[in-house]
Structures are given as C-alpha cells and as structure tokens.
Amino acid sequence: MDALTRAKRIAITLARHGFVVLSVIAGNRNARIIIKQPTPNAPIALDAAEIKYSRSADGEETTMAASVEGVQIEWVIRRTS
C-alpha cells in the first residue's frame, strides 16, 4: 500500500509540473508511472537511463526510466524513419 501511495503522490507532483501521466502501475515489485515524453524545457530534469531499445520498419523506440523515491518513471522516445 505504501508503494501505491508514494506513486500517487509522485504522479500528482509530476502532473503539477506539466508532465502528462499516462498510467500508474502497482505490481509485485516497485510501482511504475508511465508518462508522455518530457519536453526539453521540462521544469524538472529526470536523470534517466535507457532500459529498452527496439527497431522496426516504422522506426526506433527507446524506453527511458528514472527513479524517484523508489518509484520507476518510464517514457518512450519514438523516432520514425
């Protein structure tokens, strides 16, 4: 329950700073928040790392992740070819 409460609080904070929260997932492990790709001038800088990369005929997708208070925040960067 603490993980869900923490994820909700962080999701609200992100939304207040202009991020678009797409979903909050609370599973067996840490909670995850899925957001829309941040703009370059976002008010909060998320220190992120690439966790997944895929390439298809449509282009490339890179999934980025950052951790805030034990909650993983993820977003996808899409590049069309």
Side-chain angles (χ1 to χ4, degrees):
M1 190 57 120
D2 290 336
L4 184 58
T5 303
R6 189 171 41 245
K8 179 182 174 185
R9 182 173 33 84
I10 293 169
I12 290 170
T13 302
L14 288 170
R16 286 183 178 158
H17 283 88
F19 292 91
V20 177
V21 176
L22 302 175
S23 65
V24 176
I25 304 163
N28 302 4
R29 301 179 339 151
N30 294 343
R32 292 187 307 150
I33 299 173
I34 310 299
I35 63 172
K36 188 175 176 184
Q37 180 180 347
T39 60
N41 60 351
I44 298 175
L46 296 172
D47 187 24
E50 180 180 318
I51 61 169
K52 182 180 173 187
Y53 174 80
S54 63
R55 183 181 293 181
S56 68
D58 298 333
E60 303 171 348
E61 284 190 356
T62 304
T63 303
M64 303 297 291
S67 180
V68 176
E69 295 181 33
V71 176
Q72 185 165 314
I73 301 168
E74 298 180 6
W75 63 93
V76 176
I77 300 171
R78 291 182 176 87
R79 294 176 203 87
T80 57
S81 41

